[in-house]
Structures are given as C-alpha cells and as structure tokens.
Amino acid sequence: KKFTDINTALFGNDDLSWTQLDWIKAKSTHQLYLLDSAQSVKPADLPAEVTAALVQQARSANSFFRLVSQMRVAGGTDYIEFIGRIFAGTQQGPESFGNYELRFFDDIAEMRKEIFEKDKEVGLSRMIAGYAWPWASKNDPSEVDIQIGNLGLTWNRTATDWINSPTSLEEVGSIHTVQGYDLNYAGVIIGPDLGYDPVSKKIVFHRENYHDKKGKENNPRLGIEYTDEDLLNYVVNIYRVLLTRGIKGTFVFVCDPALREQLGQNFDPQL
C-alpha cells in the first residue's frame, strides 16, 4: 500500500514500472550511486537490468568510476576474487592471503569454540549463517533454531544492531543482521539451502531448505515467478556477503556433505 501511495504522490499514478530508483531521481537534483550487484540478496532488490542501464548511462556521460580496492578484508582483492571463484566452480585448489586467517572446519562445535576464543582475543567475532532454518525462537525463545549434529543454536534475538547486542556471541546472525557490518572474525555456516550435484558438477539450490519468505517471494504485481536458478543466484550472493564480513579472518563450515567435500578442496586446513 505504501509503495502505491508513494508512486501516486510522486508521479500521479501507480505505473508498475516505477521503482525506488525513480523515487530517488524524483526527489533529488544530483545522484551518486555505489553499486555492487553481487550484494543483491533478494527479489525485491532492483532488477539487474535496471542497475545495468544505470551503469551504461554513467559510462555514456563519462561519470562511471570503477572501485578497484576495498578496505574491510585484510585478505584484499585476492580473497574477494577467491570467494567468487569458489562459487563459480573455477577455483583450482587452496590459496594463501598473507596474514588473513581462512579456515575450513569439519566440526561445527570446534568452529564455534574458535569464534569464542577469537572474541576473547580481539572482540567482534560472531557466528553467521544463510537463512536455511526457520526462526522458531522468534515466537518461543526456548526453541532451538539450528540443529547440526549434537549442537543446537538459536538465531539472532534482535535484528537491530545485533552484532553489538549483549547475547550476540551465543547466537547466529542472518544476512539481515550483518550486511553492511564489519567483524574481526566471522564463523560462516553454509546451510543446507545449498548442495552439490556431482553429475552436473554444479552448486544447486534446495528451495525446501530456504526459509526467508521475502527472499523467495514471487512478484505477482509484475507477474514474475522466481525459478530455483534465479534464487540460487541470490543465495550465492548472500554467502558471498557473509564470507566477506571478517576483517582478520573467516572460518567456514558447510552442512551438505557433498558440497563440504567439493568446497573443502579449496581450503588448506593448515592456513
């Protein structure tokens, strides 16, 4: 309703083509856009063709500038590109990234223990995961949300500034709590929403294990239904974001056995 009301107030009608980008243009004289399409994590984000057109317009006006470095991850651009190749299936074995601590775990409890140790040492160390389990504890705080082997974990109790909340170290944060935040160490759980097909040799999406309603919501307004391949791209982007939150290091645990074996080939347990 609010979307319709805003469109009508700004443009006099509720044309289905209007987006929040149009709102920005309507309410400002100059615009500066910082775009990273690899951080688009849900269907409600601006469509890729819209942002691509924006880039082309900027190029034509000689006002397009590519950012070639980032200031969060100590592993640098090499690490960012490594994560991209991991999910593209083009990475050929382990790499090292200087002092950046990248570790792959077969035991989720051991990874959690290490995150607690890092938090004692340097602070701002948290467990984060893809939205591959229902948020049962939202309505019943006694519920366990994430059960992996003998370890039961709960989702973030708050979505507002979760990282700095008093109970965050004991909890697991979702994409909605960490996008835009920095951590010193991130313990990333790649959940059963992703798997690996050894026949096609590709990462696959398991819709039944993806529990973000907004993350897989179709758009009846525009007559759009999202396929598993569409949603795979969004979920992979989520994990790219999660795996690039850690300034000093990233720890990784993969739930799906076939995917764990496949991705594990690109991590050196000694690093």
Side-chain angles (χ1 to χ4, degrees):
K1 183 179 184 303
K2 286 183 179 179
F3 201 91
T4 297
D5 290 346
I6 292 170
N7 280 344
T8 303
L10 287 176
F11 311 115
N13 61 70
D14 186 30
D15 189 294
L16 297 181
S17 65
W18 299 122
T19 70
Q20 288 170 311
L21 180 62
D22 297 300
W23 300 357
I24 292 170
K25 291 178 177 179
K27 299 298 291 183
S28 61
T29 305
H30 304 285
Q31 302 92 37
L32 177 65
Y33 303 106
L34 178 63
L35 297 176
D36 180 0
S37 59
Q39 291 201 39
S40 178
V41 299
K42 60 184 183 299
D45 292 343
L46 282 176
E49 58 269 21
V50 172
T51 54
L54 198 62
V55 169
Q56 186 53 48
Q57 291 167 16
R59 288 184 187 275
S60 299
N62 293 319
S63 58
F64 175 81
F65 304 93
R66 182 176 295 280
L67 300 181
V68 295
S69 63
Q70 53 80 45
M71 298 179 67
R72 174 186 287 117
V73 180
T77 303
D78 288 346
Y79 173 72
I80 304 295
E81 293 176 351
F82 168 82
I83 293 300
R85 292 193 298 272
I86 286 284
F87 288 107
T90 58
Q91 178 60 29
Q92 301 294 318
E95 291 185 26
S96 129
F97 306 98
N99 294 325
Y100 194 74
E101 193 171 356
L102 178 62
R103 297 177 59 187
F104 192 84
F105 287 79
D106 290 323
D107 186 334
I108 182 67
E110 183 63 24
M111 185 172 86
R112 186 169 187 257
K113 177 183 174 184
E114 287 297 314
I115 286 294
F116 273 71
E117 289 298 318
K118 291 299 182 183
D119 192 70
K120 286 181 183 178
E121 293 175 18
V122 297
L124 275 181
S125 301
R126 301 289 184 271
M127 296 273 283
I128 53 182
Y131 212 150
W133 296 268
W135 190 7
S137 64
K138 182 178 182 179
N139 298 317
D140 182 356
S142 67
E143 287 281 353
V144 170
D145 295 310
I146 301 169
Q147 188 71 47
I148 303 175
N150 295 323
L151 183 64
L153 302 166
T154 57
W155 281 120
N156 44 277
R157 293 178 191 174
T158 179
T160 305
D161 197 25
W162 167 75
I163 283 172
N164 294 307
S165 67
T167 56
S168 59
L169 183 59
E170 288 80 30
E171 299 160 4
V172 179
S174 74
I175 182 64
H176 304 303
T177 65
V178 299
Q179 194 168 23
Y181 276 83
D182 295 337
L183 292 167
N184 283 325
Y185 282 87
V188 180
I189 305 171
I190 299 179
D193 48 353
L194 290 187
Y196 183 75
D197 181 355
V199 177
S200 65
K201 297 184 178 180
K202 290 182 178 180
I203 293 175
V204 293
F205 171 66
H206 295 303
R207 185 185 289 257
E208 69 277 12
N209 293 329
Y210 186 48
H211 296 278
D212 188 345
K213 292 180 181 178
K214 291 294 183 184
K216 57 183 177 181
E217 189 174 58
N218 291 324
N219 192 334
R221 175 184 169 94
L222 295 178
I224 299 173
E225 293 188 3
Y226 295 97
T227 67
D228 284 359
E229 190 64 27
D230 294 329
L231 296 178
L232 173 63
N233 292 330
Y234 288 116
V235 172
V236 165
N237 280 354
I238 287 171
Y239 285 113
R240 282 199 191 104
V241 171
L242 298 180
L243 289 161
T244 53
R245 296 303 92 188
I247 297 170
K248 297 176 179 292
T250 299
F251 300 160
V252 184
F253 175 83
V254 181
C255 291
D256 181 83
L259 184 60
R260 186 188 313 154
E261 181 179 354
Q262 177 62 25
L263 295 189
Q265 299 173 19
N266 297 305
F267 292 84
D268 186 339
Q270 303 304 315
L271 290 177

